[in-house]
Amino acid sequence: MISLASDTETRPTQGMRAAMVNAEVGDEQRREDPTVNRLLEMCSHILGKESALFLPSGTMCNIVGLKTHTSPGRVVFADRMSHIIRAESGGPAFHSNVLVEAIPSPRGIFRAKDLLEAKERLIAAPYPYGPAPGLVCVEQTHNFGGGTIWTLEELEEVHHVSKTMNLPVHMDGARLFNAVVKTGIKASDYAKYTDSVWIDFTKGLGAPLGAVLTGSREFIERARYYKHLFGGALRQAGIAAQACIFALENNIQRLNEDHENAIALADGLADINGVELFTPDPETNMVFFSVQRSGMETEEFLEQIQARGLRMGAVGGGIRAVTHLDVTRKDIEEAVRIVADSLKG
Ligand SMILES: *Cc1c(COP(=O)(O)O)cnc(C)c1O
């Protein structure tokens, strides 16, 4: 089976597993796991932040991040298609009791004027009964926007406007390294325009679990309280942290291959009758398309390709294919053939 359903499907390699076996461990909750501590130092350094916190998942980084930044009743501004809105089971409402104001934008990347408009829509002064803003969220790269990259200028501008509104900026950096590898811009340069930013080790980086939230020392101390409150304090977590360190040391530059494979996939799909590409020039490791023009329903298409040994996913009315560590160029060529065959019926 060739799976392009998600880059979360990467399996730990033999090298990563071997590193995990020999990890030095201690009690993470007591801050005594040396491997976790080393990972946190590495992440703080890479992202240019004072402090960091190890969490089991990216979703938990968003849960703890939003909780630490906001108080109940506050407004969180985020793109309409952002992961916190679309894919976290209503977490912002459940855990943080916040209102989320969804900003419409074409590729998941909103501009400063969109943020200002959203704020004015919501809180028309001098009307005194509107909700109070609390946080601005950005997603790098933007998943459902097509694996799209925020430029430094776009981030700077949104950060600047957020500061004029006295709001912190939280970056969901699940795939921040995809942007870093694609543009050559350092992670810490993107992170400059955030108050908190986290990275995920279970996407293209290939680790079995783990994500790291970073920010100021004071922010991370409060975040640690919520991590414990939500049941996220760990014990001998160095086993997992070692896989994350291995990923930082071995799996970042190779994301380039995933980006090249995504371009090859898009090029291949572009030649197939009935395929409409939403990402003709994939920015990172995602290709979005529709097969509606072929007359085939999305669900039927996904069943057809699955029967031929290929998995993709349905996302937001379209089909998403994600390249990753466990997908080779030959797999991509095979995937294009399978899609073509499936649409021929
Ligand atoms: C995958 C993802 C998450 C959640 O990360 P998990 O580690 O799967 O919990 C959050 N945001 C974005 C943009 C993602 O793609």
Side-chain angles (χ1 to χ4, degrees):
M1 179 70 66
I2 300 169
S3 185
L4 300 175
S6 174
D7 48 5
T8 54
E9 303 215 2
T10 51
R11 305 287 171 94
T13 57
Q14 282 310 318
M16 182 178 277
R17 287 169 190 255
M20 294 171 77
V21 165
N22 296 310
E24 254 191 280
V25 295
D27 191 322
E28 189 273 342
Q29 189 190 96
R30 294 171 180 272
R31 310 185 190 203
E32 287 172 359
D33 188 298
T35 308
V36 169
N37 291 343
R38 187 151 86 84
L39 173 67
L40 297 180
E41 265 169 42
M42 289 171 84
C43 291
S44 303
H45 177 73
I46 290 168
L47 292 161
K49 298 292 188 201
E50 283 174 359
S51 193
L53 190 61
F54 187 55
L55 287 157
S57 71
T59 303
M60 210 152 169
C61 288
N62 278 337
I63 292 173
V64 169
L66 264 64
K67 185 73 184 170
T68 309
H69 277 304
T70 62
S71 49
R74 293 280 172 155
V75 179
V76 173
F77 294 96
D79 167 71
R80 186 174 62 89
M81 295 298 284
S82 61
H83 199 276
I84 59 164
I85 297 180
R86 297 279 161 169
E88 295 183 13
S89 312
F94 189 90
H95 298 290
S96 299
N97 313 114
V98 289
L99 279 174
V100 179
E101 180 67 9
I103 304 176
S105 66
R107 300 154 47 249
I109 290 157
F110 53 86
R111 307 302 302 267
K113 73 165 175 31
D114 304 321
L115 176 57
L116 280 169
E117 275 170 25
K119 183 200 148 210
E120 271 150 31
R121 228 180 11 250
L122 192 70
I123 310 154
Y127 185 65
Y129 308 119
L135 179 67
V136 175
C137 289
V138 296
E139 201 175 297
Q140 180 78 311
T141 62
H142 200 286
N143 184 343
F144 301 146
T148 47
I149 299 174
W150 285 74
T151 65
L152 275 185
E153 292 70 28
E154 286 161 343
L155 279 175
E156 182 182 9
E157 175 191 284
V158 161
H159 178 258
H160 176 76
V161 165
S162 301
K163 293 300 141 183
T164 64
M165 300 197 288
N166 243 334
L167 298 180
V169 176
H170 171 77
M171 177 183 280
D172 170 340
R175 293 184 186 78
L176 174 61
F177 285 120
N178 290 84
V180 166
V181 164
K182 184 62 182 243
T183 62
I185 293 169
K186 287 199 302 203
S188 55
D189 284 333
Y190 287 122
K192 256 186 222 157
Y193 302 111
T194 69
D195 295 278
S196 55
V197 49
W198 63 267
I199 50 178
D200 209 336
F201 291 95
T202 63
K203 304 282 163 80
L205 293 187
L209 61 101
V212 170
L213 175 68
T214 70
S216 70
R217 204 161 283 122
E218 185 268 338
F219 171 82
I220 292 296
E221 279 312 307
R222 287 191 296 118
R224 193 179 278 279
Y225 167 80
Y226 288 116
K227 165 176 161 148
H228 193 95
L229 181 69
F230 289 134
L234 304 166
R235 300 302 184 184
Q236 287 70 35
I239 290 279
Q242 188 69 58
C244 302
I245 291 173
F246 183 92
L248 288 178
E249 288 173 344
N250 296 281
N251 292 347
I252 293 183
Q253 273 315 310
R254 65 148 306 285
L255 291 171
N256 266 322
E257 287 171 42
D258 301 343
H259 301 163
E260 282 162 16
N261 282 338
I263 290 170
L265 177 64
D267 288 349
L269 293 178
D271 293 335
I272 299 173
N273 260 339
V275 169
E276 183 189 359
L277 270 178
F278 300 142
T279 52
D281 301 300
E283 290 184 41
T284 52
N285 67 332
M286 295 187 181
V287 177
F288 283 74
F289 64 100
S290 150
V291 292
Q292 239 161 15
R293 283 183 186 163
S294 72
M296 197 183 278
E297 295 295 330
T298 298
E299 218 152 286
E300 155 97 42
F301 170 77
L302 293 176
E303 279 168 23
Q304 288 284 335
I305 60 170
Q306 175 117 14
R308 290 169 162 91
L310 174 64
R311 273 213 323 184
M312 292 182 181
V315 170
I319 296 153
R320 187 186 71 168
V322 189
T323 57
H324 55 77
L325 183 58
D326 293 354
V327 177
T328 63
R329 181 58 66 96
K330 259 186 73 189
D331 293 334
I332 294 297
E333 287 161 11
E334 179 64 13
V336 170
R337 256 194 307 278
I338 291 174
V339 170
D341 288 350
S342 303
L343 290 177
K344 266 187 231 140

